[in-house]
Amino acid sequence: MKGSCFEEANLLNVCQESIDYQGIVRHINDGVLILREGNIIFANGAFCEIVGTDLTGLLGKPFTDLVIPDDRERVEMHCVDKLYTSDLSNRIEFSISRPDEDAIVEMKLTVVDCGGGPAILAAITDITERRKTRIELQRVKDRLESILHALNDVVVSLSPTDQSILAINPAAEALYGIPRRAFNAGEMQLMHFVHPEDREAVSKYYRSLVDDEFGEMQYRIISSNGRIKWVHDEGHLVYCTTRAIHRLDHVIRDITEQKEALDALTRSEEKYRDFFQSTKDMAYSVTPDGTFIDINEAGIQMLGFADREEALASNLKDFYENLSERADLLAQINEEGFVTDKHIRFRLKDGRSIEVAITARAKTDDSGYLLYYEGIAHNITQAMEDQRNRVLRNAAGGMCHYLNTHLMHIVNAKDGIREEIESLEETAPSLPEETRETWSAALSSLNTYCEGLDLAYRKITAVTKAFNSAFLTYKEESYLDKAILDIFNSCLGDPLDCATLAPPAQEKGCGEMTHAAARHCRRR
């Protein structure tokens, strides 16, 4: 166009050939105008549409009047400088005032001859929507970057060819223990941190993403301080518009705490299951209404079930000898969450009654809803019997000690009377005849009294020895109240038998007497 001129302000005679350049200018979407001395001397319809006015209102008007005040001076200076500076940029962006909304435009300008003088030939493109889209894209980009920077998970993009890092967020610093710039500079690659024992499997996983397009894996890494961590890696294949592989995106999450907690829970469950099956006590879990959910072999044997299937089809409530004890037990568990060593009596399938100590707790969900009860029942029947026997033996020992104390008083009294009788017998011959008979009768009564004391002594001795034999020297065994009566009846029922069976304590054979009495008691 250089060297051409304009004969009329509304005509553009570029060439005289057959090509209709006027029609082209008239119908293109970009605005075209010519500025001379800063005024508009030509504008096509597209430009009129851009600025929102007709042609008659534009011709002869200063172009900068259309520019918003903030850009006006910059645009004016650029147009003037372009006339005298050939290497000045031929593009400039600014905003034009419009009635409804300012338009952001890009102007391409060049210097042409017009009417024998220089003029500006400009092409105006409305980039308002394009700029809005760009601004929105930038806003989305900034938002995404903000999210990526705030994430605790590592987000990294890798090259599909050499696995080099294209981009990585700051969370990598906490996970791997090195500055983010070390990754961006290409000094550190992810595979460098993978545990040596997992490196081959991880490399295979990364390579497979090209074909699988998505994958995930858990593996170990070693951070810069030497700490071993577990991570969960999710990889995605990202395509560009031509379906060519563009990059591999990975989200890497530190799951060390979850892994350790899960491993600890697994070990705990294994220990619990081992204890559940190996304990000699009944371990069980039941629904809130008492139906068995689980029970160990010891519990199956304790309650008398034929097998596990029969047990799981039964209800623990049916084994309580007194349902009021079950009500008290559940009330305490529901109130406190657990119960410890609660004594309960069970009636077994074979009809036997046993006493158990139950330690149990209520299992609830996060909202506090009751799921089930679980507990351990320890058979304390023999222990309680032994305890009662110990109480009985202690009582028997106390009674024997009490009897022996008074027995010594009887023996001493008897021996004193014997001595007095012997001394009085020496004086009997010297008494008058008329009193001697009375005296002899008195001595006979005293001798009879002493014989009674001696008999009482032997009977009490037999009782204490029988108690000692039955309750203090034998092993743990069951005793009834009747056993005490049997001892008394066997030793006190017939004084002659007692005298025969029980020689004085100081004589030999007393041990044989007591054992015989004890055996006699048991036979009865």
Side-chain angles (χ1 to χ4, degrees):
M1 291 184 183
K2 253 185 178 182
S4 62
C5 63
F6 297 92
E7 301 294 340
E8 300 289 340
N10 60 343
L11 295 176
L12 180 59
N13 296 317
V14 178
C15 70
Q16 302 299 324
E17 297 180 3
S18 60
I19 300 176
D20 184 10
Y21 287 99
Q22 294 186 33
I24 294 175
V25 171
R26 188 179 301 111
H27 292 94
I28 62 175
N29 293 326
D30 289 346
V32 177
L33 70 159
I34 297 176
L35 305 178
R36 187 167 58 189
E37 296 180 356
N39 297 323
I40 300 173
I41 63 172
F42 172 82
N44 67 347
F47 181 75
C48 295
E49 292 180 3
I50 292 175
V51 297
T53 185
D54 54 18
L55 183 62
T56 57
L58 293 177
L59 295 179
K61 183 176 181 180
F63 174 69
T64 54
D65 288 353
L66 302 175
V67 180
I68 65 173
D70 291 342
D71 296 340
R72 188 169 297 163
E73 183 178 356
R74 179 171 61 87
V75 173
E76 184 177 8
M77 291 295 298
H78 190 84
C79 291
V80 172
D81 293 342
K82 184 62 179 175
L83 293 173
Y84 305 102
T85 307
S86 59
D87 58 352
L88 187 68
S89 174
N90 63 348
R91 293 174 182 267
I92 184 172
E93 290 185 8
F94 53 92
S95 296
I96 291 178
S97 297
R98 290 193 301 196
D100 50 351
E101 179 186 27
D102 292 345
I104 303 173
V105 298
E106 179 186 61
M107 183 171 72
K108 298 179 183 180
L109 62 164
T110 185
V111 178
V112 296
D113 290 335
C114 184
I120 298 293
L121 173 63
I124 305 294
T125 304
D126 187 348
I127 61 171
T128 304
E129 295 301 324
R130 187 195 312 170
R131 179 58 59 86
K132 287 181 179 179
T133 302
R134 184 186 301 174
I135 292 174
E136 182 61 27
L137 288 175
Q138 185 62 42
R139 185 181 297 112
V140 171
K141 179 183 177 182
D142 293 343
R143 187 183 302 119
L144 289 176
E145 287 186 354
S146 176
I147 293 173
L148 290 176
H149 280 66
L151 284 176
N152 293 324
D153 298 341
V154 175
V155 180
V156 57
S157 294
L158 304 178
S159 168
T161 55
D162 58 1
Q163 306 293 330
S164 60
I165 297 175
L166 303 177
I168 193 167
N169 69 335
E173 296 183 353
L175 181 62
Y176 297 103
I178 64 171
R180 182 188 177 198
R181 62 177 178 274
F183 289 107
N184 292 335
E187 298 174 5
M188 288 292 184
Q189 301 300 319
L190 297 184
M191 202 59 63
H192 173 79
F193 296 94
V194 177
H195 195 284
E197 296 179 3
D198 299 339
R199 193 164 294 165
E200 182 178 353
V202 174
S203 297
K204 182 178 179 181
Y205 157 64
Y206 273 46
R207 292 193 301 270
S208 67
L209 285 177
V210 176
D211 296 325
D212 298 340
E213 298 189 357
F214 170 81
E216 56 184 341
M217 181 181 181
Q218 293 183 3
Y219 55 88
R220 292 166 294 177
I221 65 169
I222 303 177
S223 62
S224 62
N225 61 3
R227 182 186 174 191
I228 297 177
K229 300 178 180 180
W230 279 91
V231 297
H232 181 269
D233 187 329
E234 292 184 5
H236 302 263
L237 187 64
V238 180
Y239 291 97
C240 64
T241 55
T242 60
R243 293 293 295 174
I245 298 175
H246 185 53
R247 67 180 186 274
L248 295 170
D249 287 349
H250 288 260
V251 177
I252 303 174
R253 180 179 298 111
D254 186 351
I255 61 169
T256 305
E257 292 184 2
Q258 298 93 312
K259 183 73 173 178
E260 291 175 350
L262 182 60
D263 291 344
L265 179 60
T266 302
R267 291 192 298 270
S268 177
E269 289 178 347
E270 290 175 352
K271 291 180 180 179
Y272 172 78
R273 178 53 56 181
D274 181 66
F275 167 78
F276 189 88
Q277 295 298 337
S278 62
T279 180
K280 300 302 181 184
D281 296 327
M282 183 179 89
Y284 67 93
S285 58
V286 294
T287 61
D289 68 350
T291 302
F292 280 104
I293 300 174
D294 199 1
I295 185 171
N296 64 348
E297 186 62 30
I300 293 174
Q301 296 178 5
M302 176 189 290
L303 298 180
F305 291 115
D307 50 37
R308 179 179 176 82
E309 287 70 21
E310 182 186 2
L312 296 181
S314 303
N315 194 304
L316 183 60
K317 180 173 61 176
D318 299 333
F319 291 87
Y320 283 88
E321 194 168 86
N322 189 344
L323 289 179
S324 64
E325 292 182 343
R326 177 179 183 269
D328 292 341
L329 174 71
L330 296 183
Q332 185 174 348
I333 295 177
N334 293 334
E335 180 178 354
E336 301 179 9
F338 67 94
V339 67
T340 304
D341 289 335
K342 183 77 170 179
H343 289 196
I344 301 293
R345 295 202 68 85
F346 280 166
R347 178 70 63 180
L348 307 183
K349 290 182 70 65
D350 59 7
R352 290 184 297 114
S353 177
I354 64 171
E355 189 168 359
V356 297
I358 292 182
T359 297
R361 64 175 179 173
K363 292 291 291 183
T364 59
D365 59 16
D366 294 338
S367 61
Y369 179 78
L370 177 63
L371 300 176
Y372 58 90
Y373 299 107
E374 62 180 6
I376 295 175
H378 176 61
N379 190 345
I380 60 172
T381 306
Q382 187 61 46
M384 295 303 296
E385 183 65 30
D386 292 343
Q387 181 178 354
R388 285 189 286 269
N389 290 338
R390 283 191 292 272
V391 172
L392 186 57
R393 284 193 296 273
N394 292 337
M399 185 184 71
C400 290
H401 176 73
Y402 179 81
L403 292 176
N404 285 331
T405 299
H406 290 280
L407 185 62
M408 293 306 298
H409 290 294
I410 294 174
V411 171
N412 292 335
K414 182 199 68 172
D415 291 342
I417 294 174
R418 287 289 188 185
E419 291 177 359
E420 291 297 330
I421 291 175
E422 290 175 359
S423 63
L424 291 176
E425 284 179 345
E426 296 177 357
T427 61
S430 61
L431 292 174
E433 185 67 27
E434 60 277 7
T435 60
R436 190 180 300 167
E437 183 176 349
T438 303
W439 178 248
S440 297
L443 289 178
S444 177
S445 297
L446 289 174
N447 284 325
T448 301
Y449 177 73
C450 288
E451 290 175 358
L453 290 177
D454 190 59
L455 178 61
Y457 165 78
R458 290 196 299 272
K459 291 169 69 174
I460 295 175
T461 300
V463 171
T464 58
K465 287 184 176 181
F467 268 103
N468 283 330
S469 176
F471 295 105
L472 302 180
T473 61
Y474 275 46
K475 295 181 179 179
E476 299 278 0
E477 53 183 281
S478 300
Y479 296 102
L480 300 174
D481 295 339
K482 188 173 181 298
I484 301 176
L485 298 178
D486 286 342
I487 293 173
F488 277 101
N489 291 335
S490 64
C491 297
L492 303 181
D494 189 344
L496 295 179
D497 291 344
C498 187
T500 303
L501 291 173
Q506 64 271 20
E507 297 179 7
K508 295 181 179 180
C510 63
E512 297 176 358
M513 181 280 302
T514 55
H515 289 304
R519 287 195 297 272
H520 179 66
C521 293
R522 291 185 180 84
R523 285 197 301 271
R524 294 173 62 92

